Amino acid sequence: MKFYPLYIALVGLVFLNCKSEKQEAPKSTNETTLQAPQKTPEKPKSDISIHAIQHATTILEWKEKTIYIDPTGGFAPFKDKKPANLVLITDVHGDHMDIETLDSLDLSNAEIIAPQAVAEKLPAKYTDHLIILNNGDVKEIQGIPIEAIPMYNLREEALKFHKKGRGNGYILTLGKKRVYFSGDTEDIPEMRALQYIDMAFICMNLPYTMTVESAADAVLEFKPKQVYPYHFKGPQGLSDVKKFKKMVSIDPNIEVIQLDWYPTIK
């Protein structure tokens, strides 16, 4: 009977230890830990502003420079735009070289870059503003390197539209960006061989230039970072730029950007 107090004391210690272990037991691993959603990193903003005017007519703004590509359509599309520092003309056709539009603009401080075939058709008053670049020429103008790239047809039935050597595509180097305008062309070897193009403006309209399929195939070969379908209206209406985008999108590294080149066509 004298051992009972010791026995009772041992039982009490065991009970206290068990209770303590229960209180210190870890929380259930089934509990869900909430995490803050990860933000998608924003793309760096470009320092090049693009104004799609119509068809092939484009305005680029970069730093203090305003660049008109193939200005057409009269004064109205340009009335709220900054005067040009540079005007680039690709070819002699009216959707690229429009003397009436040139005459309506303030080009007093502008230099006009054009191939010889265009220069021969411009009025004499533009002679002092004119810089002639032909296929393969490279020149820095107002601090902007400009390369004249061939543009021409390949299909037998289209050779009459754009012969090799007459018109220019252009590459402009704006800071760290290389910007390519195809002008009127098919998927020529010179286009397919281009390298390090950040922004490419690619034509696609029949019968004058190339098919959507040819345009997409060329883009997939020279791999610009961004491609802008432009100059895609022909006698049969607008080319299927949605199809073009779908074809090009097999390469996830090429971004297709569609601007409103035909605001009056809905």
Side-chain angles (χ1 to χ4, degrees):
M1 295 295 293
K2 60 178 156 182
F3 293 108
Y4 282 177
L6 180 60
Y7 175 78
I8 292 171
L10 289 173
V11 170
L13 285 173
V14 170
F15 174 79
L16 289 173
N17 285 339
C18 289
K19 185 175 182 181
S20 176
E21 287 176 3
K22 286 181 181 179
Q23 290 176 344
E24 295 175 3
K27 294 181 180 179
S28 170
T29 57
N30 292 329
E31 292 184 9
T32 302
T33 303
L34 297 177
Q35 295 181 348
Q38 294 183 346
K39 293 184 178 180
T40 302
E42 294 183 3
K43 293 182 180 179
K45 292 183 179 179
S46 174
D47 60 353
I48 302 171
S49 296
I50 304 166
H51 303 274
I53 304 300
Q54 61 178 13
H55 194 55
T57 304
T58 313
I59 297 176
L60 300 180
E61 292 185 43
W62 174 71
K63 294 188 175 180
E64 301 302 317
K65 300 297 183 183
T66 301
I67 305 163
Y68 290 5
I69 314 292
D70 288 337
T72 65
F75 175 70
F78 303 90
K79 65 180 181 180
D80 297 324
K81 302 297 188 290
K82 296 178 182 178
N85 302 108
L86 295 173
V87 176
L88 279 66
I89 302 176
T90 60
D91 197 22
V92 298
H93 289 160
D95 55 341
H96 301 275
M97 182 192 74
D98 182 22
I99 294 173
E100 183 177 341
T101 298
L102 294 175
D103 288 345
S104 74
L105 300 174
D106 177 8
L107 301 180
S108 56
N109 295 315
E111 291 180 282
I112 301 173
I113 296 88
Q116 182 64 41
V118 170
E120 292 172 358
K121 293 183 177 295
L122 291 176
K125 67 179 182 178
Y126 293 113
T127 300
D128 292 341
H129 298 259
L130 191 58
I131 298 173
I132 297 175
L133 292 186
N134 290 311
N135 290 179
D137 291 343
V138 181
K139 190 167 186 177
E140 185 172 308
I141 304 169
Q142 298 185 23
I144 298 175
I146 301 176
E147 306 169 48
I149 307 298
M151 48 153 275
Y152 57 92
N153 287 106
L154 296 171
R155 294 168 294 121
E156 185 67 31
E157 67 273 19
L159 295 178
K160 59 186 177 182
F161 296 127
H162 307 97
K163 64 180 181 179
K164 187 174 182 178
R166 187 185 74 198
N168 289 333
Y170 293 104
I171 296 175
L172 299 87
T173 300
L174 304 177
K176 296 181 179 180
K177 301 285 188 182
R178 282 166 51 83
V179 184
Y180 169 59
F181 284 86
S182 71
D184 283 4
T185 191
E186 291 190 57
D187 52 326
I188 56 176
E190 294 89 341
M191 178 195 288
R192 291 178 175 272
L194 293 176
Q195 293 183 318
Y196 312 117
I197 301 297
D198 296 285
M199 304 161 71
F201 292 77
I202 303 296
C203 65
M204 55 192 81
N205 66 327
L206 293 178
Y208 306 115
T209 63
M210 58 180 156
T211 65
V212 165
E213 291 81 4
S214 294
D217 194 56
V219 164
L220 287 169
E221 184 162 346
F222 76 88
K223 299 182 183 303
K225 292 180 181 178
Q226 295 179 324
V227 58
Y228 295 78
Y230 87 141
H231 197 294
F232 55 85
K233 183 179 182 296
Q236 305 303 317
L238 303 180
S239 297
D240 190 349
V241 292
K242 289 183 179 180
K243 181 178 181 181
F244 170 81
K245 182 175 183 177
K246 184 177 181 180
M247 295 178 71
V248 171
S249 294
I250 64 171
D251 186 335
N253 296 312
I254 303 175
E255 182 183 12
V256 179
I257 300 174
Q258 182 60 59
L259 302 180
D260 188 6
W261 297 97
Y262 304 96
T264 61
I265 301 176
K266 300 298 181 184

